[in-house]
Amino acid sequence: MEGGGSVSWIKYGPVVSLVVVLLALWFRPPQHAVLDDRLDTVLSSLLRAEQKVGVNNVARPRVAVGFGGCVDLLVDGVSLLNKIGLPPTDQPLHHNYIENAEQLAQSFAYFFAPGAAAERFVLNETLFSELVEASRDLPGNRWSVGGNAPVMAGRMATEGCDVLLGGSFSPDFTDVLSQHITVAGNAVEEPDIHLILEYPSGARWGPFTSRRANRYIVHSDDHNPYLASMEEFAGKLQGFNPDLLVVGGLQMMDNFPFQTGERDALLSRLAELLSASSPRLGVHFEMASFVEESIMQDLLHYIIPRSDSLGMNEQELPNLLSLLKGSNITVLSDPNPRVATVLDQMREVYRILNQRHRDSREETNSSEGKPLTRLHVHTLAFQAMIVTHGSQWKNTMSATAKASLTANRHVCGSNDIDPSKARLIMDDSFSVSRQEGSQRIPLQESRPVSCWDEEDYEICVAPVLVCTEVFQTAGGGDNISAAGLVLQI
Ligand SMILES: *[C@@H]1O[C@H](CO)[C@@H](O)[C@H](O)[C@H]1NC(C)=O
Ligand SMILES: *[C@@H]1O[C@H](CO)[C@@H](O)[C@H](O)[C@H]1NC(C)=O
Ligand SMILES: *[C@@H]1O[C@H](CO)[C@@H](O)[C@H](O)[C@H]1NC(C)=O
Ligand SMILES: CC(=O)N[C@H]1CO[C@H](CO)[C@@H](O)[C@@H]1O
């Protein structure tokens, strides 16, 4: 085990904690005091771990991020469904895409009860416009810049990077972007709208109660599925000379009614772009909610073998793994998985992808494709990373801490973390694997990020201070992934 922070504060941490505990015991019921103290210590230790390394503000890191973007319209999901008079279904069901209101009710119910993140294409444009119109005057609605690429770009610019963003935006959209973001892509009149149905933990819709806060997204994009900005982005890429290339937003192609061969042509063009960049340029691919098996196969063929780094959540990890093992798409997985389960899945994804890479090198005798050297999984309760020894990725411990803090900052909607609005849901200790006899690692409040070596890589796990007063869940993964990457370039 290593990492966790510098020595000086570790030495005095216990003394400070003891004083705080004693004081707290004096003023409050004992149960609370111990818990609060634990949380405060974890928070201050995570902050210290995050601050151990900084971003170079003089020579700002340069990051190119594609593709697409949209305006997000955020509403309370249940209020919207009530407003359009959609009665709760008695049959939660998975649909690959949404054709009518009944399917919307079934699909929403399917993910709402477990509180699992989901994103679906609405094929029926009439239905989609009705939903958007109803949302426009729903009390409490909010508009924001959305789409994986702009959100990641925004986070990276805020953290001190210069960003080239590939996307087609309307002029007023471009105006609200940070001055450190340069847009590559043609302007569009009508931006794509994504409708974000947010819900808190314990929300009720008919017979259903949500187990955790999350969101269900519907969209009916015209621009994003075609990666409309790709050529301009490609044209500016070399001149921009990035230190990192980030690809996201490809889920907008999922279940989109393309003409035959159209999607294949787009993804193979993107593969060409990735292959043409310098082999030393790190490529990060941010996964998302995919349910169409053929596009997942395309990603496994075109994109993932050309990526050095992958980011995903607890739903996307088992989905990818299932496909790598030759099984079907998994539409819904445990939204609160244990650390051991996630780590085992990560090890397997890492092993299989790198095995595939070695095999394809031998078969084709070409230097195309890259090994996977970084895998970041974000879950509600914790952040986990695998990083290959000797790879280009630096500061894994601090990056994991930063990812964890960003989770709280994003969901609570505030840069300052308020411990009274946070909760630790990770257990007091975790097992590093589900295999019998595996080591258990205690969660040490003063060294909350646990890092250790295995095989040819390092694993780091950090607990998340789960936000209890949710402002927004949508865009969380993008903010978290981007924040983690910033310290590793
Ligand atoms: C599309 O949605 C509209 C509005 O909800 C509905 O009237 C229509 O029947 C739907 N079309 C199809 C093909 O389901
Ligand atoms: C896998 O998907 C295929 C095609 O969609 C389906 O026919 C089959 O029943 C699925 N198998 C499982 C185990 O879900
Ligand atoms: C692979 O490429 C190397 C160098 O280009 C060559 O010497 C070798 O014979 C090739 N092997 C196969 C199996 O094609
Ligand atoms: C908490 C936080 O910083 N969230 C940010 C996620 O990214 C978007 C886009 O850059 C910001 O608007 C949010 O503030």
Side-chain angles (χ1 to χ4, degrees), residues 377-400:
V377 173
H378 30 91
T379 80
L380 181 70
F382 60 91
Q383 302 289 318
M385 281 200 209
I386 286 186
V387 170
T388 310
H389 287 308
S391 65
Q392 61 193 305
W393 311 105
K394 310 179 290 189
N395 308 322
T396 306
M397 193 278 288
S398 296
T400 315

Side-chain angles (χ1 to χ4, degrees), residues 99-100 124 126-127 130:
E99 282 180 296
N100 54 49
N124 182 335
T126 319
L127 172 64
E130 281 175 9

Side-chain angles (χ1 to χ4, degrees), residues 171-397:
D172 50 342
F173 182 109
T174 312
D175 289 346
V176 302
L177 292 176
S178 149
Q179 51 162 342
H180 293 292
I181 299 179
T182 309
V183 171
N186 45 329
V188 296
E189 298 263 309
E190 293 267 323
D192 291 328
I193 294 177
H194 289 190
L195 191 54
I196 321 281
L197 282 66
E198 293 264 346
Y199 49 85
S201 173
R204 302 181 74 105
W205 186 51
F208 309 106
T209 304
S210 62
R211 266 179 52 197
R212 56 166 276 196
N214 222 324
R215 79 289 187 288
Y216 178 88
I217 304 178
V218 282
H219 54 87
S220 193
D221 284 2
D222 292 321
H223 307 291
N224 288 322
Y226 295 104
L227 307 182
S229 57
M230 188 159 50
E231 288 315 319
E232 273 202 48
F233 183 76
K236 289 191 175 158
L237 197 57
Q238 244 202 336
F240 183 72
N241 192 22
D243 303 307
L244 174 69
L245 174 56
V246 177
V247 176
L250 301 188
Q251 76 276 21
M252 292 304 114
M253 303 173 114
D254 190 276
N255 277 295
F256 184 78
F258 283 111
Q259 307 287 320
T260 317
E262 222 171 4
R263 189 183 73 206
D264 200 68
L266 286 165
L267 289 173
S268 93
R269 172 71 189 105
L270 177 54
E272 225 173 81
L273 193 156
L274 298 180
S275 296
S277 62
S278 154
R280 283 195 314 278
L281 174 63
V283 175
H284 172 84
F285 173 51
E286 187 66 22
M287 292 274 301
S289 178
F290 288 96
V291 283
E292 195 181 2
E293 188 158 336
S294 61
I295 190 171
M296 282 292 285
Q297 296 297 354
D298 281 355
L299 296 176
L300 282 173
H301 180 67
Y302 289 119
I303 311 301
I304 293 174
R306 291 172 178 82
S307 306
D308 306 85
S309 164
L310 297 177
M312 63 194 72
N313 68 20
E314 83 292 336
Q315 300 291 317
E316 294 146 21
L317 174 67
N319 190 16
L320 174 64
L321 180 58
S322 162
L323 234 74
L324 283 172
K325 297 207 298 195
S327 311
N328 279 4
I329 292 274
T330 59
V331 176
L332 180 62
S333 305
D334 182 357
N336 276 317
R338 300 201 151 262
V339 177
T341 309
V342 167
L343 292 182
D344 282 343
Q345 290 169 342
M346 289 174 74
R347 288 181 187 101
E348 233 179 323
V349 164
Y350 178 89
R351 184 181 55 78
I352 296 174
L353 285 177
N354 280 315
Q355 187 58 50
R356 281 184 165 215
H357 168 70
R358 285 190 294 271
D359 290 349
S360 103
R361 282 236 160 150
E362 267 171 32
E363 271 166 32
T364 61
N365 200 17
S366 80
S367 58
E368 255 228 273
K370 294 165 149 185
L372 182 73
T373 51
R374 182 180 181 276
L375 177 56
H376 176 189
V377 173
H378 30 91
T379 80
L380 181 70
F382 60 91
Q383 302 289 318
M385 281 200 209
I386 286 186
V387 170
T388 310
H389 287 308
S391 65
Q392 61 193 305
W393 311 105
K394 310 179 290 189
N395 308 322
T396 306
M397 193 278 288

